[in-house]
Amino acid sequence: MRLSSAATTEELVIVVDEARIDAAVATRFKDSMRRLIGGHRKPVIIDMQAVDFLDSSGLGAMIAVRKAMGEDRPLILRGLTPNVERVFRLTRMDSVFDIRPTDPPEEQTS
Amino acid sequence: MTSTRRQNADTKGRIAARTQPMFNRVLPAHPAAVRDTLGDIRRRFAAEVGEDTLARLELVLAEVMNNVTEHGAGISVEDDPRRAPSIHISIVRHVSGLCCAITDDGASLPDDCLQPRCLPSLTQPELPEGGWGWYLIQDLTQALCYFREDQRNYLAFSVPFSEEARPL
């Protein structure tokens, strides 16, 4: 599972470097994510730009990660590709997750 | 793929226009085999079908085959890969979409899978981590039908072409 994480003073940014979060890897993805996120208490940004495909197993893994963090800790999903965005939209999970536009320019980050 | 090239090789376009691309495969219900098959399906139809339709097709087929992989054997396939059901998938391009037939020799499909689905309530502590697959299948397909005969499940449906991206 190729995940890289970098913590700044304000947040933990995790970049998912996998093309597919599907049934073949969903459990590993969930476990790796929980390990990365569990070591911090900061808000988390997950960069999904590299993910071309996510199925309901992958969505389930994202939901498990969201639940493991607790409601008070912010989780932002960034850089959703169209196919990944579709799964969040069709399941109305776009109203549960904080989804930000793809690749926001640096100067707009505040 | 040579068969694709052969089908589309007609320079006058007459035969090519009438030939409907097809995909046929038998595979074990295993996540790696499902992944490989989805990749091959994408490549098979990439020249004739728009990206939006291909993406919906891929998602639906992933959900259907994942279900067989996860539930078809009645046990965890990882415990004994030899007991993985066998999936047979056929896809044919029709005028309005891609018609898919998927059969498997795994456990019978529970009745409630094909009942119209509502999304679960979206309150966060109770959000379900599973059960989204059939919702997506129902949402993305047309003419979904299922029957069980002898030891096999038969599932058929159509994935419609998107309006903005008509097939060639």
Side-chain angles (χ1 to χ4, degrees), chain A residues 20 22 55-56 67 92, chain B residues 35 55 58 63 66 119 127:
Chain A
R20 301 176 74 88
D22 60 10
D55 63 13
S56 68
K67 284 161 74 174
R92 310 278 191 276
Chain B
R35 199 187 248 210
E58 182 177 13
E63 297 300 341
N66 287 347
L119 282 170
L127 274 181

Side-chain angles (χ1 to χ4, degrees), chain B residues 58-124:
Chain B
E58 182 177 13
L59 181 57
V60 168
L61 294 178
E63 297 300 341
V64 170
M65 292 194 281
N66 287 347
N67 283 337
V68 181
T69 302
E70 283 168 37
H71 309 294
I75 52 147
S76 172
V77 171
E78 279 160 25
D79 295 343
D80 184 358
R82 288 166 300 176
R83 290 179 64 177
S86 168
I87 300 174
H88 183 175
I89 179 166
S90 300
I91 309 165
V92 183
R93 202 186 93 175
H94 278 225
V95 179
S96 60
L98 293 158
C99 295
C100 307
I102 298 167
T103 83
D104 69 82
D105 58 0
S108 187
L109 211 64
D111 289 340
D112 67 343
C113 291
L114 291 151
Q115 300 299 319
R117 292 257 153 158
C118 292
L119 282 170
S121 78
L122 304 182
T123 46
Q124 221 181 88

